[in-house]
Amino acid sequence: MLSETRKLPKGQSYPLKPTVLEAALAIANVQIDLHLIRAPGDLFDAHFWPPNANVPYERLYVRAGSVPREQAAEARHRMETVVIPRLIEWLANIMAQDLRSPTRGVQQVINLKPFDV
């Protein structure tokens, strides 16, 4: 896993810990090239990219945002109990498809903000 973390503004916190995401994928036995970017803002999305002419393997690109520090504990709990399991379910459904499947052969995106799901 490649993980990037941008500097937070004062009073903000990241509810997603890279190790938690990595462990959840390992427990679910989902193996994919993962690039995680944590950056300030109200976002959590994941992009599944199938192989293409430039990159011969499947990739998952995850962008995770920040929350006000006073909401961090609740957001972290929702991230671990709701958001990550939904992300893994979504990704596992894609990867369960045949490699030649139209579902697995196209780029896909899921949006899962901690307080929206």
Side-chain angles (χ1 to χ4, degrees):
M1 173 172 77
L2 175 62
S3 179
E4 299 177 36
T5 300
R6 307 247 165 78
K7 187 175 179 176
L8 281 171
K10 209 170 211 165
Q12 293 282 302
S13 181
Y14 287 123
L16 176 63
K17 294 181 180 184
T19 55
V20 171
L21 177 58
E22 193 170 35
L25 289 167
I27 290 167
N29 201 27
V30 174
Q31 297 177 4
I32 190 166
D33 185 76
L34 173 62
H35 186 168
L36 170 63
I37 295 180
R38 297 188 309 163
D42 181 26
L43 67 123
F44 185 92
D45 56 32
H47 301 252
F48 171 82
W49 288 331
N52 61 43
N54 299 318
V55 182
Y57 50 86
E58 296 171 319
R59 297 162 289 152
L60 183 65
Y61 178 77
V62 176
R63 298 184 312 162
S66 61
V67 296
R69 188 167 285 136
E70 58 273 2
Q71 295 177 355
E74 182 183 353
R76 190 166 292 119
H77 176 73
R78 288 192 56 75
M79 189 66 71
E80 294 172 6
T81 61
V82 178
V83 175
I84 291 175
R86 297 246 333 251
L87 171 65
I88 290 172
E89 178 183 8
W90 172 79
L91 182 58
N93 284 335
I94 293 171
M95 297 189 73
Q97 305 298 314
D98 185 88
L99 287 171
R100 297 168 300 201
S101 164
T103 301
R104 196 163 174 175
V106 297
Q107 182 178 342
Q108 298 187 48
V109 177
I110 188 171
N111 292 299
L112 294 168
K113 294 179 191 173
F115 292 110
D116 291 351
V117 292

